[in-house]
Amino acid sequence: MNFIALRMLTGDRAKYLGIVFGVMLSALLISHQVTIFVGLMSRTRSVFQTLDHADLIVADAATEFVEDVRPLADTAADRVRGVGGVEWAVPMVRTTIKARLEGGKSRTCIVVGLDDATLIGGPSQMVEGAVEDLRLPDAVIIDHLDAQKLLSVRGADGALRVPGVGDWIELNDRQCRIVGISHNPRPFLSQPIIYTTLTRAQSIAPPERRTISYVLARTQPGADVALVKSAIADATGLNAYSRREFGFKTIGYYIRNTGIPVNFGVTVLLGCIVGIAISGQTFYLFILDNLRTLAALKAMGASTMQLVRMVLLQASVVGVQGFAVGVGLTAAFFVYYIGTDLEFDLHWEVLGLTAMVIVLVILCATAAGVAKVLRVQPALVFRG
Amino acid sequence: MTSIMNEHPQAARIHETAGRGLAIHCSGVTKGFTAGGNTIRALRGIDLDVRLGELAMLVGPSGCGKTTLISVVAGILDRDEGECRVFGQDFATMSARQKTRFRGQTVGFVFQQFNLLPALTAAQNVAVPLLINGVAHAAAIKAAKEMLDRVGLGERTESLPKQLSGGQQQRVAIARAMVHRPRLIVCDEPTSALDHETGHTVMRLLKNVALDEDRALVIVTHDARIFGFADRIFKMDDGRIVDVVRNPSASIGASGGDAHA
Ligand SMILES: Nc1ncnc2c1ncn2[C@@H]1O[C@H](COP(=O)(O)OP(=O)(O)OP(=O)(O)O)[C@@H](O)[C@H]1O
Ligand SMILES: [Mg+2]
């Protein structure tokens, strides 16, 4: 019977492809949009990916998300260091500073100032140069993808070129020398990210933004992280988060306070509706066209269960094929954009979610057809 | 007895006592349809006996209930009133599942529009009743090819229906109706889409291959050219059987002709 079902399905090429197309469209839209959504959301916490030495981030208790930088007292790092169970604690500055570009234009950059002594919290991957080079006078490190956004340098021929190691850029009227090019996880905001030392960051920044932003800390091996966190809170009045906690706090903030989830949600919903509409309609027409055949099979002794199984098999085949093609196209899309701002990881969880939604789409799309099959009267075969 | 009988011992007993050489026994069968508030009385008290080994034809004006009657006899429509036994068994006492199984094993169908599955080859189409009954694919195809050979289409087993002529398609349909050796074959207008010569070929096949002393054939037809193949012709009008013509081949000749002439 499976054989008959498959032949029936592929025998009507136009409808078969139409159904697969509808499912494919759903799978493509859903996996594509959810991947970008998940990617964007995880970018909001990309900041933490470079902080892999620290397991705790200490911030003002009112801080809601990672870019919601609130000033800490200069003594904050010392106070955290004094809490039992803390192995080390270093300050970090995260502030915004305008870079002057060619032709009087300017661009706001995120400047991260690293603890002068340890340089903890610096870029985890360098394309050129080394993090230690930040100890050189006026040194800064820029990101390789951001370099294009910081066009300020003219080559020998007078044309603008992408700045590189050895070039100078102007941050808040201070000349800074590029000593390294880093590769960073793509941030959520598109401001270029510039690393330097804490002291230099404070000296470049306008006076009101010279305070430290976070304290990065590490618990002693074997210490109870939860206890250390509450000890820090008690001793300093600040909040200590694990990187993961702060990351999800940030994601939660964006989800609650921006239109992003709604936007993507609407697209995903549209994907489902379009998929159900196209596949459902075509599948229903397919069933209607085959009603006489199904009635004949029923007259010849096929049970309703056998027929429903046939229809479900047909639905699963188009479902799997549409899913595979749709997800394949999504993967192709993101492979094409590797190395750009549109580079996103395709998580298996997203594929799983897409698969689940596609199952629902298929169930909705075939419901009407199955209902028709359940009601098909074998006597129909004798009607003209 | 067939496997059905073994699976329904109670029914088998009924057959033993009520059989009396009858394939079909109907008395007082009625069937109505409600359409748009009106009730159409398609069958108004049918008394019909078809003997084992018999080829019975149902004739009559359009709308007189012929299709409805064979649908009731074949177990694809439920009667309203009256009594009806097929090989001693009563559909009214069967569950839907039993009825379906009974049809699959005991009844073969030939439809006016052939109703072949367009995506299946001739052999695959013929194999369908066997597949429905759970026969393994390879065995089903083998049996289907043998049956196609018997209806003269041994060379066309791999053809799709659209590659076959109307007569060839109807022969495929007949092979399909016979492949699982059903005891009853019902046909609705099997020759109306065919020319005279092909119609005769089809009827000869039905009569010679499908019929023996343990089986029966019921054919609905308008086609006077094939009346000669019938053992008995039941004339219907307005939901009743109004006349029975015995041995029409003797009266109108086996070559066919107009029964009313
Ligand atoms: N499913 C149905 N719903 C409503 N009315 C029906 C239905 N099936 C049959 N009828 C009616 O029952 C009557 C008998 O129909 P049936 O199809 O048995 O006639 P028939 O003798 O086979 O006619 P024909 O020679 O035209 O095929 C007709 O009046 C028909 O309109
Ligand atoms: Mg009819």
Side-chain angles (χ1 to χ4, degrees):
Chain A
M1 296 305 277
N2 292 350
F3 163 82
I4 300 174
L6 295 179
R7 276 300 164 87
M8 256 170 84
L9 177 66
T10 52
D12 190 342
R13 189 143 309 199
K15 288 207 183 59
Y16 167 53
L17 293 180
I19 306 165
V20 173
F21 177 78
V23 178
M24 185 272 290
L25 212 57
S26 277
L28 172 63
L29 279 173
I30 295 164
S31 59
H32 184 260
Q33 292 293 303
V34 174
T35 295
I36 293 185
F37 176 71
V38 169
L40 280 181
M41 285 298 108
S42 59
R43 277 180 187 186
T44 63
R45 56 187 196 128
S46 66
V47 175
F48 306 106
Q49 285 173 263
T50 59
L51 307 182
D52 42 7
H53 297 296
D55 54 5
L56 290 182
I57 295 157
V58 184
D60 188 274
T63 297
E64 289 198 82
F65 60 105
V66 69
E67 305 295 350
D68 178 26
V69 176
R70 298 182 186 223
L72 302 184
D74 289 341
T75 55
D78 297 330
R79 280 156 61 216
V80 172
R81 216 170 282 140
V83 174
V86 172
E87 188 174 354
W88 51 252
V90 295
M92 177 186 239
V93 166
R94 196 175 167 85
T95 188
T96 51
I97 293 178
K98 275 207 164 79
R100 159 117 25 111
L101 306 184
E102 184 59 29
K105 282 185 275 185
S106 66
R107 175 127 202 175
T108 303
C109 304
I110 293 172
V111 171
V112 179
L114 309 173
D115 177 49
D116 292 53
T118 60
L119 296 179
I120 281 174
S124 47
Q125 237 181 306
M126 294 297 290
V127 178
E128 214 182 327
V131 180
E132 282 67 36
D133 295 340
L134 284 181
R135 301 189 202 281
L136 298 170
D138 305 315
V140 294
I141 291 174
I142 65 171
D143 179 86
H144 73 122
L145 282 179
D146 291 341
Q148 277 119 42
K149 299 174 185 166
L150 294 170
L151 289 178
S152 58
V153 181
R154 290 203 181 275
D157 56 354
L160 278 178
R161 66 174 173 76
V162 176
V165 170
D167 289 329
W168 292 80
I169 55 171
E170 192 181 315
L171 298 174
N172 198 20
D173 297 333
R174 272 276 303 267
Q175 290 295 323
C176 297
R177 192 155 64 98
I178 300 171
V179 297
I181 307 287
S182 60
H183 172 85
N184 296 287
R186 288 284 79 207
F188 179 66
L189 303 170
S190 61
Q191 284 112 317
I193 183 159
I194 296 176
Y195 286 98
T196 186
T197 60
L198 187 114
T199 330
R200 198 170 300 125
Q202 286 179 328
S203 69
I204 299 171
E208 71 277 12
R209 273 188 261 139
R210 288 183 178 169
T211 50
I212 68 168
S213 320
Y214 298 112
V215 174
L216 308 179
R218 182 159 194 97
T219 50
Q220 281 164 358
D224 182 335
V225 178
L227 281 183
V228 176
K229 280 194 319 201
S230 63
I232 292 176
D234 291 345
T236 64
L238 305 175
N239 260 359
Y241 303 98
S242 70
R243 288 193 287 149
R244 193 181 158 77
E245 278 170 351
F246 206 3
F248 278 108
K249 189 177 171 67
T250 299
I251 289 178
Y253 175 83
Y254 278 104
I255 288 182
R256 283 191 310 276
N257 293 287
T258 69
I260 295 172
V262 174
N263 271 329
F264 282 91
V266 165
T267 313
V268 167
L269 195 68
L270 279 180
C272 297
I273 292 173
V274 168
I276 292 173
I278 297 180
S279 315
Q281 173 133 319
T282 322
F283 198 80
Y284 189 65
L285 285 179
F286 169 75
I287 296 289
L288 283 191
D289 274 1
N290 283 297
L291 221 47
R292 188 171 268 281
T293 297
L294 293 170
L297 291 173
K298 207 164 183 176
M300 290 189 282
S303 67
T304 306
M305 270 314 295
Q306 275 176 312
L307 296 186
V308 169
R309 270 208 303 273
M310 282 174 67
V311 171
L312 290 183
L313 174 70
Q314 292 164 340
S316 340
V317 166
V318 291
V320 168
Q321 291 178 337
F323 173 79
V325 178
V327 165
L329 286 178
T330 295
F333 176 92
F334 289 115
V335 165
Y336 181 77
Y337 282 105
I338 280 179
T340 72
D341 262 347
L342 266 177
E343 173 177 349
F344 288 104
D345 290 340
L346 201 54
H347 296 283
W348 68 264
E349 288 94 338
V350 173
L351 299 188
L353 176 88
T354 309
M356 270 157 52
V357 177
I358 290 299
V359 169
L360 284 180
V361 166
I362 289 282
L363 285 181
C364 292
T366 49
V370 170
K372 201 84 194 166
V373 171
L374 286 176
R375 285 197 310 266
V376 67
Q377 292 298 325
L380 177 71
V381 285
F382 284 138
R383 306 249 67 92
Chain B
M1 282 293 109
T2 66
S3 56
I4 284 286
M5 297 303 167
N6 297 333
E7 283 165 51
H8 302 282
Q10 199 184 344
R13 227 176 302 122
I14 293 168
H15 176 74
E16 242 84 86
T17 54
R20 291 189 293 267
L22 283 185
I24 298 167
H25 167 72
C26 292
S27 68
V29 168
T30 65
K31 175 70 186 174
F33 296 102
T34 34
N38 304 357
T39 303
I40 298 156
R41 296 177 62 203
L43 302 180
R44 299 168 178 246
I46 293 285
D47 300 317
L48 170 74
D49 285 338
V50 176
R51 301 182 195 115
L52 287 170
E54 186 171 37
L55 192 163
M57 282 190 190
L58 296 177
V59 302
S62 181
C64 70
K66 305 181 293 292
T67 299
T68 307
L69 178 54
I70 58 162
S71 300
V72 168
V73 163
I76 58 179
L77 263 189
D78 294 332
R79 64 182 188 268
D80 292 339
E81 300 165 282
E83 210 193 318
C84 185
R85 292 181 192 285
V86 178
F87 302 114
Q89 301 202 52
D90 184 353
F91 289 118
T93 64
M94 295 188 198
S95 68
R97 183 188 284 262
Q98 286 171 323
K99 247 190 295 191
T100 304
R101 177 106 70 81
F102 184 87
R103 282 202 306 269
Q105 299 183 337
T106 312
V107 186
F109 293 87
V110 179
F111 312 107
Q112 182 173 5
Q113 284 98 345
F114 317 148
N115 278 318
L116 299 175
L117 277 69
L120 301 189
T121 65
Q124 291 162 349
N125 261 295
V126 173
V128 165
L130 295 172
L131 295 175
I132 287 175
N133 283 317
V135 175
H137 190 85
I141 294 290
K142 184 164 176 286
K145 285 182 174 167
E146 283 165 15
M147 190 49 82
L148 277 172
D149 206 28
R150 293 190 68 178
V151 301
L153 289 174
E155 307 290 304
R156 306 301 303 268
T157 56
E158 300 309 315
S159 302
L160 292 173
K162 63 168 184 273
Q163 297 163 336
L164 298 172
S165 72
Q168 288 169 328
Q169 288 186 47
Q170 193 59 304
R171 278 190 276 160
V172 173
I174 286 167
R176 178 177 66 180
M178 299 188 303
V179 71
H180 51 313
R181 305 294 294 142
R183 296 185 69 199
L184 172 66
I185 294 182
V186 295
C187 314
D188 201 0
E189 308 278 6
T191 59
S192 65
L194 308 176
D195 64 43
H196 177 89
E197 201 52 49
T198 321
H200 270 246
T201 311
V202 159
M203 284 310 299
R204 266 194 299 274
L205 276 172
L206 276 171
K207 187 150 191 169
N208 297 337
V209 183
L211 208 55
D212 63 33
E213 63 285 355
D214 197 33
R215 295 167 210 281
L217 216 57
V218 180
I219 297 177
V220 167
T221 188
H222 277 112
D223 186 358
R225 301 168 304 185
I226 63 167
F227 286 168
F229 287 94
D231 295 312
R232 280 191 298 169
I233 296 180
F234 296 84
K235 289 192 180 168
M236 287 183 69
D237 196 9
D238 200 17
R240 290 193 185 84
I241 289 174
V242 292
D243 194 10
V244 183
V245 180
R246 278 158 230 280
N247 205 8
S249 48
S251 54
I252 57 180
S255 60
D258 192 347
H260 305 290

